[in-house]
Amino acid sequence: MPSTELAGLRREAEALDAADGLAGLRDSFHLPKGKIYLDGNSLGALPKGAEGRLLATLRQEWGENLIASWNTAGWFVKPQVVGDRIGRLIGAQDGEVIALDSTSVNIFKVVCAALRLRPDRRVFVSEASNFPTDIYMLQGIRDLLGDIEIRIATADRPLATLLDGAGVVLLTHVDFRSGAFHDMAAVTAGVQAAGALMIWDLAHSAGALEVDLTGANADFAVGCGYKYLNGGPGAPAFVYCPKRHQPHVRQPLTGWLGHSDPFAFSLDYAPDGGIRAFQCGTPPILSYAALEASLDIWERTSMQAVRAKSVQLTRFFIACVDAYAPHHGLVLASPRDDRVRGSQVSWSHPEGFRIMKALISRGVVGDFRAPDILRFGFTPLYTSFDEVWRAADTLRDIMQTGDWRRFAGERDGPTT
Ligand SMILES: *Cc1c(COP(=O)(O)O)cnc(C)c1O
């Protein structure tokens, strides 16, 4: 790449940082020195407020107040209170989101609940590019219930051709490899017109782009607390169920805290009439403390501002790498069109694994996804344009010098 172009991109990064309305939020996160962290789509960075929140929960709520804290510190209602805060980021109404369990467990609950609303349509539909756990959970439910057919959409067999007789469609909104995303409202309308219910997995959407579950008329959704929402490793995930379905849904994990009157200790299960029907057992209170510290930061901005910066970050990264990528065999595996690209950029290269190893060894943390994807996540709350430029420049140096050959003896595998 000509040095004038390099210098031009560096100046552009400076200008973008100077104009960045979210730059002030970066200081709300602990970001380790010497690292450019582009993997917030796998595990979000640590909010500085988490330590204080956790200590207060430990020392005062647990240590001093003990069991009284279920009421005095609002432990009982944590899943709903935190759920409502997440709901505001994804276009849900209050009372339609509950934060709890893992995304995989929540998929089990919502798929079973959806099937019970379409008992005669025993066909699940998903797509081959979906995240594996989603498909594994469908297979587990099929194995449990028998008489279920699973259809998987591929490039040759598009979703629209698989909907005849389908009851439940489960798709991930943003593709975890390419970062391309579905038109949520259009896909939902098509699925519902065919008589099926639409479940969205928002693992790579919540906190990454504007989502309007209400406007899209989604039937159910699930998502993660530890990716763009920065809730920490194993943070509570969430379930969305709109008010229109709540009086009718039954999910099979009928634990006592989903009961309409848990402390009546009656012998017969009767589900709560609202979103709490998706709760099963006792919530992990310490984990909510960290997630709440992150949600405090989200309240200082809007998803509109976050999405606007996200588009700028990904577009700028593509421009920086584009300047030399073709000479080194890096092929863009994400959409060029801003309107359908989430908050990540992926490049494919046959040596992708070893290139990512070299990047990580030099402090640029992205990840590798088989078979050949180098994946970079951009988190507008704490990623700067200077970091984007430096990450691209490190990648350029690795490609030009062949530095990745240091890892030539290593076979593809997880980079973390
Ligand atoms: C990360 C991710 C999950 C994670 O599920 P867990 O049960 O929380 O581990 C699920 N679905 C998708 C699409 C993901 O990207």
Side-chain angles (χ1 to χ4, degrees):
M1 169 169 40
S3 58
T4 48
E5 195 170 346
L6 261 175
L9 287 165
R10 172 142 240 186
R11 272 198 306 279
E12 196 178 330
E14 280 168 20
L16 286 163
D17 276 328
D20 176 9
L22 297 186
L25 296 181
R26 179 177 165 87
D27 191 45
S28 307
F29 291 89
H30 172 77
L31 296 166
K33 287 206 170 38
K35 279 199 173 74
I36 296 175
Y37 190 62
L38 302 179
D39 214 357
N41 50 335
S42 276
L43 175 66
L46 169 66
K48 285 182 182 164
E51 192 174 327
R53 278 266 189 165
L54 273 159
L55 279 177
T57 308
L58 280 171
R59 290 183 180 157
Q60 193 60 42
E61 297 180 8
W62 180 13
E64 296 299 323
N65 301 343
L66 287 163
I67 199 157
S69 287
W70 282 105
N71 290 308
T72 58
W75 286 357
F76 270 125
V77 289
K78 244 348 146 190
Q80 287 158 273
V81 169
V82 173
D84 282 341
R85 294 180 78 184
I86 294 172
R88 280 167 220 144
L89 303 176
I90 53 177
Q93 312 295 312
D94 280 0
E96 295 186 328
V97 176
I98 187 159
L100 69 198
D101 298 328
S102 68
T103 306
S104 303
V105 170
N106 289 335
I107 289 171
F108 182 82
K109 290 185 278 189
V110 298
V111 170
C112 291
L115 182 64
R116 288 186 71 156
L117 294 174
R118 290 287 181 277
D120 303 327
R121 291 173 156 255
R122 305 186 77 78
V123 178
F124 295 159
V125 183
S126 190
E127 61 185 345
S129 58
N130 202 348
F131 190 73
T133 204
D134 297 50
I135 295 180
Y136 299 161
M137 294 310 295
L138 294 178
Q139 291 167 347
I141 297 166
R142 175 198 59 197
D143 295 348
L144 181 70
L145 300 179
D147 78 328
I148 298 273
E149 182 193 348
I150 299 178
R151 297 182 192 152
I152 301 291
T154 60
D156 301 336
R157 299 179 73 210
L159 183 72
T161 67
L162 303 180
L163 295 178
D164 192 31
V168 181
V169 178
L170 170 63
L171 298 176
T172 296
H173 182 218
V174 180
D175 184 298
F176 79 105
R177 286 194 190 86
S178 71
F181 64 84
H182 286 290
D183 180 336
M184 184 177 280
V187 174
T188 301
V191 164
Q192 290 170 344
L197 292 171
M198 184 67 227
I199 304 174
W200 289 105
D201 184 333
L202 303 179
H204 293 278
S205 314
L209 45 111
E210 288 166 286
V211 173
D212 184 3
L213 288 170
T214 304
N217 196 39
D219 291 300
F220 296 93
V222 296
C224 283
Y226 56 80
K227 291 175 177 167
Y228 291 96
L229 294 181
N230 311 309
F238 63 87
V239 168
Y240 162 79
C241 174
K243 294 250 164 72
R244 70 178 189 278
H245 287 323
Q246 288 180 9
H248 317 292
V249 290
R250 298 295 297 259
Q251 63 89 10
L253 299 184
T254 48
W256 71 303
L257 286 180
H259 194 284
S260 58
D261 189 2
F263 290 91
F265 298 112
S266 71
L267 276 188
D268 291 315
Y269 185 78
D272 178 73
I275 193 68
R276 206 166 49 75
F278 285 91
Q279 191 167 346
C280 181
T282 304
I285 292 303
L286 297 179
S287 294
Y288 290 86
L291 180 53
E292 286 186 290
S294 173
L295 292 168
D296 290 346
I297 304 170
W298 285 99
E299 270 158 27
R300 292 160 55 199
T301 182
S302 66
M303 275 317 302
Q304 208 179 3
V306 167
R307 171 64 180 163
K309 181 175 172 188
S310 161
V311 168
Q312 283 185 309
L313 287 165
T314 54
R315 189 195 290 158
F316 185 58
F317 185 64
I318 292 173
C320 290
V321 179
D322 253 355
Y324 60 87
H327 320 298
H328 298 293
L330 287 164
V331 176
L332 184 65
S334 295
R336 256 179 214 285
D337 183 348
D338 295 342
R339 291 167 302 179
V340 292
R341 187 178 64 244
S343 207
Q344 70 179 68
V345 175
S346 298
W347 302 83
S348 65
H349 192 287
E351 295 295 339
F353 172 72
R354 283 153 290 279
I355 297 166
M356 186 53 75
K357 290 283 280 193
L359 278 165
I360 292 170
S361 78
R362 293 168 64 161
V364 178
V365 183
D367 58 26
F368 171 76
R369 287 292 177 265
D372 60 357
I373 297 285
L374 294 138
R375 194 175 71 150
F376 302 90
F378 297 86
T379 42
L381 297 187
Y382 53 83
T383 304
S384 71
F385 292 92
D386 176 64
E387 288 181 304
V388 173
W389 184 88
R390 284 189 287 134
D393 197 52
T394 307
L395 179 58
R396 177 197 57 73
D397 188 73
I398 288 168
M399 300 314 293
Q400 273 177 358
T401 60
D403 187 35
W404 55 267
R405 292 202 170 83
R406 281 193 285 140
F407 300 94
E410 293 193 28
R411 295 218 275 140
D412 290 7
T415 40
T416 43

